[in-house]
Amino acid sequence: MAAPLDKVLARLDRVKPAGKSRWRAQCPVHDGHSLQVTEADDGKVLFKCWGCDAPAAEICRALGLELRDLFPYDPALRSIPSRPRLTAELREQLALDRWLGHICLYDLFLDRPVSDRDLDCAATAFNRLRRYRPHFFDEAARVHRLEVSR
């Protein structure tokens, strides 16, 4: 398997060494000779275009590469389970869970009685949201702070 730097340098034009672990090349995004390529100590490849300031994803796309091609292959990372994909049904359920969470919190905020069944449903919804949408809790805390400050 080729090193990330070898893959990148093979696809660039007008490559010149520019120091230890650094090269200058023609930027594939805007064709100026202002792209700096650096190999980090851990083997990953870093880009900086001083002409167009293109993000690494755009430079990779112009070279026919993906962002993962900039990193050395690490078999240990393959064993990390990925987060499950969100199906359309799960997205819909999460939207309903979010509304249920808002309604339950609003009822509790107004000291309205909430049944045990509703609390169980809300707990299930919150657990699902915590797993798939952790940022929901940041938003809920922000809304709560706004309500309390009024």
Side-chain angles (χ1 to χ4, degrees):
M1 182 170 279
L5 182 66
D6 296 334
K7 286 184 205 174
V8 169
L9 294 180
R11 293 172 184 243
L12 287 170
D13 294 327
R14 299 173 34 197
V15 179
K16 296 179 183 174
K20 183 182 177 193
S21 300
R22 290 179 187 238
W23 291 262
R24 303 277 297 182
Q26 181 176 339
C27 176
V29 176
H30 82 285
D31 292 329
H33 194 72
S34 54
L35 179 67
Q36 178 178 317
V37 180
T38 306
E39 183 180 33
D41 292 338
D42 60 359
K44 67 183 164 200
V45 176
L46 308 171
F47 292 125
K48 171 65 178 166
C49 181
W50 297 96
C52 67
D53 202 27
E58 191 173 341
I59 295 170
C60 282
R61 202 170 21 258
L63 293 173
L65 297 171
E66 296 180 18
L67 281 175
R68 67 179 174 190
D69 294 325
L70 301 180
F71 299 90
Y73 177 75
D74 187 356
L77 294 178
R78 295 286 182 186
S79 65
I80 298 172
S82 61
R83 198 169 86 185
R85 288 198 173 267
L86 297 179
T87 62
E89 292 171 1
L90 183 55
R91 281 194 193 101
E92 187 176 325
Q93 182 62 52
L94 290 170
L96 293 172
D97 289 345
R98 187 174 173 187
W99 276 108
L100 178 62
H102 282 297
I103 292 168
C104 188
L105 286 174
Y106 187 72
D107 285 347
L108 290 171
F109 181 73
L110 295 177
D111 289 328
R112 292 182 183 161
V114 180
S115 71
D116 288 341
R117 181 176 177 267
D118 288 345
L119 284 175
D120 287 343
C121 289
T124 301
F126 280 122
N127 287 333
R128 193 169 22 243
L129 285 167
R130 184 172 288 133
R131 178 172 182 205
Y132 293 102
R133 298 279 194 240
H135 61 276
F136 168 78
F137 293 96
D138 298 335
E139 178 187 339
R142 182 184 57 77
V143 169
H144 178 69
R145 282 193 301 272
L146 288 175
E147 291 292 327
V148 170
S149 67
R150 287 184 186 174

